[in-house]
Amino acid sequence: MWLALMIGNSRLHWGLFEGETLCQTWDTNHLPESSLQQLAIGQSLDDLLKTISPSPPLPLPSSPPPPLLLASVVPKQTALWQIYPNVRIITLEQVPLQGLYPTLGIDRALALWGAGKTWGFPMLIVDAGTALTFTGADANQNLNGGAILPGLSLQLAALANRTGQLPNVELPQQLPQRFALTTQEAMQSGVIYTLLAGIKDFVEAWWRSYPESKIAITGGDRTFLVNYLQSQFPEIANCLIVEPNLIFWGMREIVIRH
């Protein structure tokens, strides 16, 4: 039994493995330093997770603590977890893709590696998280590149936080009316339709270069995006592989190789 932990910009993403089998996943908020210090003085990880997790994982052994495979895009949180007694931090050097550049996010690399090993290369990943990212690799497992822009929720939050009168707006379950008659719907329309047009453009550009490539979508806003795409561009939505656990699959591949 071992744990995978992806420290994202907004949350901690957990995966519980038995060997190569992913048994359970869940998310928690970032942990304060005081919580992690309890591990250093004897509190079990199982007890710690039960205090912060809305759906606690299966019981975890406390002695010895289960191995923890960690990847992170938040350096301050990474430093906190180094007190865990059985932690292994994944770096870009351990991801066997070619042409990785030093500042590429480990989350993007792991998701691409996990998807490519599962469905084959070429592969393009759309990660609909706090940031929306595109990351692709060719048939020879060489990084082709990608793009980063603010995600759906982040764009709406920025409008509310950086203006004087625009409200906080939630993502609608279904595609909103394009030409809106309320401020809230106008914000939804502007963000969503513009983002969908961008996704369509990137996907079509990728297919022109790699017409045989598969495309996978992951990340916390993936369900919203797939629903919107199904209404606006069904030909793209129907080709997407929807999988929330691509990063964990990439981490599993790292474990298998080592």
Side-chain angles (χ1 to χ4, degrees):
M1 182 176 291
W2 57 281
L3 282 167
L5 172 58
M6 177 67 228
I7 301 179
N9 289 301
S10 302
R11 294 180 297 173
L12 303 181
H13 308 286
W14 298 86
L16 177 63
F17 283 84
E18 289 191 9
E20 298 178 16
T21 301
L22 180 59
C23 302
Q24 187 176 351
T25 64
W26 70 101
D27 298 327
T28 67
N29 293 327
H30 287 171
L31 299 187
E33 185 175 359
S34 58
S35 294
L36 289 172
Q37 287 175 340
Q38 297 302 309
L39 291 174
I41 61 175
Q43 182 183 25
S44 71
L45 181 62
D46 192 40
D47 289 340
L48 174 61
L49 291 178
K50 286 177 181 177
T51 66
I52 61 166
S53 178
S55 56
L58 300 173
L60 300 173
S62 57
S63 182
L68 175 66
L69 197 66
L70 182 150
S72 174
V73 296
V74 185
K76 288 184 178 180
Q77 283 281 310
T78 309
L80 296 179
W81 278 99
Q82 291 181 5
I83 67 172
Y84 184 77
N86 196 3
V87 63
R88 173 185 168 192
I89 298 175
I90 299 177
T91 62
L92 279 179
E93 291 75 18
Q94 298 170 42
V95 181
L97 292 165
Q98 303 300 311
L100 301 182
Y101 55 89
T103 58
L104 179 70
I106 188 65
D107 53 341
R108 297 172 64 193
L110 286 170
L112 181 57
W113 180 241
K117 291 295 290 182
T118 302
W119 292 293
F121 293 94
M123 174 62 69
L124 177 68
I125 302 299
V126 182
D127 190 339
T130 303
L132 182 86
T133 64
F134 301 90
T135 315
D138 64 20
N140 295 317
Q141 303 179 19
N142 293 304
L143 179 71
N144 183 273
I148 304 173
L149 67 154
L152 285 168
S153 299
L154 183 58
Q155 290 193 44
L156 289 172
L159 285 173
N161 294 335
R162 299 299 296 271
T163 60
Q165 296 186 15
L166 293 181
N168 289 306
V169 175
E170 299 294 328
L171 290 171
Q173 292 296 321
Q174 302 300 323
L175 192 64
Q177 181 176 320
R178 183 188 291 269
F179 292 99
L181 294 174
T182 70
T183 297
Q184 176 174 321
E185 291 175 345
M187 293 168 65
Q188 294 171 335
S189 173
V191 168
I192 293 170
Y193 280 95
T194 302
L195 200 62
L196 293 180
I199 291 173
K200 178 178 183 289
D201 184 69
F202 270 93
V203 167
E204 290 179 345
W206 181 259
W207 273 335
R208 285 194 293 271
S209 297
Y210 304 102
E212 75 282 16
S213 177
K214 292 182 172 61
I215 299 177
I217 185 167
T218 191
D221 286 341
R222 69 189 180 280
T223 302
F224 289 106
L225 271 180
V226 172
N227 287 341
Y228 303 154
L229 286 166
Q230 190 66 58
S231 297
Q232 186 73 359
F233 304 119
E235 69 281 4
I236 291 178
N238 293 336
C239 293
L240 294 176
I241 300 168
V242 183
E243 176 50 60
N245 297 319
L246 292 181
I247 290 175
F248 293 138
W249 291 5
M251 297 172 84
R252 178 178 61 193
E253 291 294 330
I254 300 298
V255 170
I256 292 172
R257 285 176 59 91
H258 298 85

